[in-house]
Amino acid sequence: MASYFVCPSCQTALRVDPAKLPPRPARYRCKRCNAVSVVQEHLHDRPSPPKPRPAGPPPVPDGTVYHHVSDLARMGVAGATYRLVVEIVSREGTARTLSFDEPRVTVGRGDAGIRVDDPLVSRLHLEIERIRDRVIVKDLGSTNGTFVNERAATAEFVGETDEVRIGNTRLRIRVKMG
């Protein structure tokens, strides 16, 4: 006859054959919440139903609540617009920051939205595309490649902490809500 181990932390039920349990208390790490408990102490004939949510308004979190940029737009924040912000650092260490309302901008030595003076950068090297609050970088068939956190990349989503390198030029890209 099967029993159910019910995690005391998250109430996840796991089917258990008590005959296969060792004679000593067996510890189990819940795959859902990672809590560790003793199986023999939490065996039930059938899985317990989920705990009902208390009546009334949902609990108000105490402390600061941070919302992702896309959540603000979905919540209807008036005037939620996004700007693409690109910080360009040359090999010499000089930095400049550019901001764009357009969702797509190219980077290269030639006729590009962001012009870089680096002989290792192709004329049209890279495209940066903003999709709402996310950014994807796409190599445009460059000669020397595009690297995200020093890994070769052809197309990859990047975050604020990621560093994009083309030739000897480094880029940090983020989305700013304005």
Side-chain angles (χ1 to χ4, degrees), residues 98-137:
L98 302 172
S99 183
F100 300 90
D101 289 324
E102 299 84 21
R104 189 174 292 135
V105 65
T106 55
V107 182
R109 275 186 306 116
D111 189 23
I114 299 175
R115 191 161 152 44
V116 234
D117 189 23
D118 183 337
L120 297 176
V121 173
S122 298
R123 279 186 235 120
L124 275 179
H125 194 107
L126 173 74
E127 180 180 76
I128 302 169
E129 183 178 1
R130 176 185 52 79
I131 304 168
R132 294 201 59 166
D133 62 334
R134 298 190 70 195
V135 175
I136 188 168
V137 293

Side-chain angles (χ1 to χ4, degrees), residues 12-164:
T12 299
L14 171 72
R15 191 176 176 150
V16 176
D17 184 354
K20 294 183 180 178
L21 287 175
R24 58 180 165 58
R27 293 194 181 278
Y28 173 76
R29 181 176 301 273
C30 179
K31 291 181 177 138
R32 184 173 183 200
C33 72
N34 220 21
V36 177
S37 55
V38 178
V39 173
Q40 283 90 336
E41 293 174 0
H42 302 287
L43 282 179
H44 301 279
D45 292 335
R46 59 184 171 276
S48 57
K51 290 182 179 178
R53 205 174 135 233
V60 176
D62 47 353
T64 305
V65 178
Y66 295 97
H67 293 284
H68 199 264
V69 175
S70 63
D71 294 338
L72 293 174
R74 189 171 57 243
M75 291 178 346
V77 173
T81 59
Y82 307 104
R83 293 183 63 79
L84 187 61
V85 179
V86 183
E87 179 186 8
I88 304 125
V89 181
S90 69
R91 181 178 187 170
E92 295 80 31
T94 57
R96 61 186 167 131
T97 303
L98 302 172
S99 183
F100 300 90
D101 289 324
E102 299 84 21
R104 189 174 292 135
V105 65
T106 55
V107 182
R109 275 186 306 116
D111 189 23
I114 299 175
R115 191 161 152 44
V116 234
D117 189 23
D118 183 337
L120 297 176
V121 173
S122 298
R123 279 186 235 120
L124 275 179
H125 194 107
L126 173 74
E127 180 180 76
I128 302 169
E129 183 178 1
R130 176 185 52 79
I131 304 168
R132 294 201 59 166
D133 62 334
R134 298 190 70 195
V135 175
I136 188 168
V137 293
K138 300 174 193 171
D139 186 271
L140 298 174
S142 65
T143 305
N144 293 317
T146 297
F147 298 86
V148 176
N149 298 325
E150 294 306 318
R151 284 186 339 268
T154 53
E156 190 168 326
F157 280 101
V158 294
E160 291 183 18
T161 59
D162 293 321
E163 186 174 76
V164 178

